[in-house]
Amino acid sequence: MTPEETRARLLYRDGLMLILDKPAGIAVHKGPKGGQSLEDDFDALRFGLPRKPALAHRLDRETAGCLVLGRHHKALEKLGLLFKQGKIGKTYWAIVEGGPDAQQGLIDLPLGRLDATRGWWMKADPAGLPSQTRWTIAGRGEIDGRAIAWLELEPLTGRTHQLRVHCAAQGWPILGDSVYGTAPRGNISQSAPGLQLLARRVSVPLAKTGPPIVVEAPAPAHMLRALEICGFAGDPPRAILEPGAAAEV
């Protein structure tokens, strides 16, 4: 992305933290094989500081939405501790195939590594790490003759691929998931929907007193059709933060 395009995706900015609207389909950092990553564009987000910001957590390559960055070392330490302690609230939107019969529930299913050859791929494993996801139905619909559901997901733990594995294990995989769901792997056509998973909202308790900072990412274009079928009325227009001092939120 150009510096202008990167700054246009900024959802929140203060002296400690930036929250970026991560696009789907790009890794947040370079993997073992290298390649393009979102970190390549962070120099555009310095806003006068001597160093560029750094990742406070991770999102999957295929996942869109709220990505938290720390602006300097002390900020990263503080944010890292909040994430580790589970004090940062995270809410995701997902479009799933089929969907649960109930309106809300809790998935309590330990997760472990699939095997040493599959990198970060995970599986349900009774001997794995405790993993919990709270879910609520936000809407239902039908797409291309198949029932779908719009879920609001709240991960109570932060395991790799947790939401994707949990949904698939319940029999309602996330639409567009080519690892744990039914989407084709390899050369996916341009008409394929892509992973229907959005990091919709984060709630960050930065101040010792006062309310947490709550930021929402807009629904991405590749999820709009399915969301609208399930009753989503659209996001209101949002202001784009400018690079000047007035951009402090």
Side-chain angles (χ1 to χ4, degrees):
M1 293 186 290
T2 67
E4 292 74 22
E5 289 170 336
T6 301
R7 287 191 287 266
R9 302 195 72 90
L10 195 60
L11 299 171
Y12 177 85
R13 170 186 163 197
D14 64 22
L16 295 176
M17 175 178 72
L18 306 175
I19 299 179
L20 199 65
D21 180 16
K22 176 196 172 295
I26 183 169
V28 294
H29 59 84
K30 292 188 190 307
K33 297 180 181 179
Q36 183 186 13
S37 74
L38 203 60
E39 281 186 324
D40 298 334
D41 303 317
F42 285 177
D43 196 57
L45 301 174
R46 286 169 49 196
F47 298 112
L49 293 187
R51 295 192 178 116
K52 61 185 180 181
L55 296 164
H57 68 132
R58 307 287 191 269
L59 290 178
D60 291 349
R61 176 191 293 270
E62 300 89 351
T63 303
C66 292
L67 181 69
V68 180
L69 312 180
R71 298 193 66 188
H72 48 72
H73 181 68
K74 287 187 177 180
L76 285 165
E77 282 188 343
K78 183 170 187 176
L79 290 167
L81 185 60
L82 290 173
F83 272 109
K84 183 177 181 180
Q85 293 173 338
K87 293 183 178 179
I88 293 182
K90 295 172 285 183
T91 302
Y92 288 74
W93 283 2
I95 301 294
V96 300
E97 300 179 31
D101 295 328
Q103 284 299 113
Q104 59 185 14
L106 175 71
I107 303 169
D108 188 354
L109 186 65
L111 300 179
R113 189 72 62 87
L114 182 61
D115 61 54
T117 67
R118 291 294 186 177
W120 292 105
W121 292 15
M122 305 292 283
K123 65 177 180 179
D125 183 352
L129 294 172
S131 307
Q132 292 184 321
T133 301
R134 184 177 291 126
W135 58 267
T136 303
I137 292 281
R140 299 180 190 269
E142 185 176 293
I143 190 169
D144 300 330
R146 296 178 296 164
I148 58 172
W150 164 21
L151 298 187
E152 189 165 276
L153 302 169
E154 182 184 352
L156 305 182
T157 50
R159 312 301 177 206
T160 300
H161 292 179
Q162 175 176 316
L163 302 181
R164 298 166 67 176
V165 180
H166 271 180
C167 287
Q170 304 308 301
W172 17 276
I174 297 176
L175 195 65
D177 192 338
S178 62
V179 175
Y180 305 102
T182 62
R185 296 177 188 167
N187 295 323
I188 301 174
S189 70
Q190 292 297 315
S191 61
L195 184 68
Q196 303 284 285
L197 182 62
L198 169 70
R200 173 66 172 183
R201 183 184 310 116
V202 290
S203 175
V204 186
L206 272 183
K208 291 183 179 179
T209 60
I213 296 160
V214 179
V215 178
E216 287 191 343
H222 74 282
M223 289 182 63
L224 281 177
R225 180 186 176 216
L227 283 169
E228 289 168 355
I229 287 172
C230 291
F232 178 57
D235 285 304
R238 71 175 181 87
I240 295 177
L241 300 185
E242 298 296 335
E248 295 290 342
V249 176

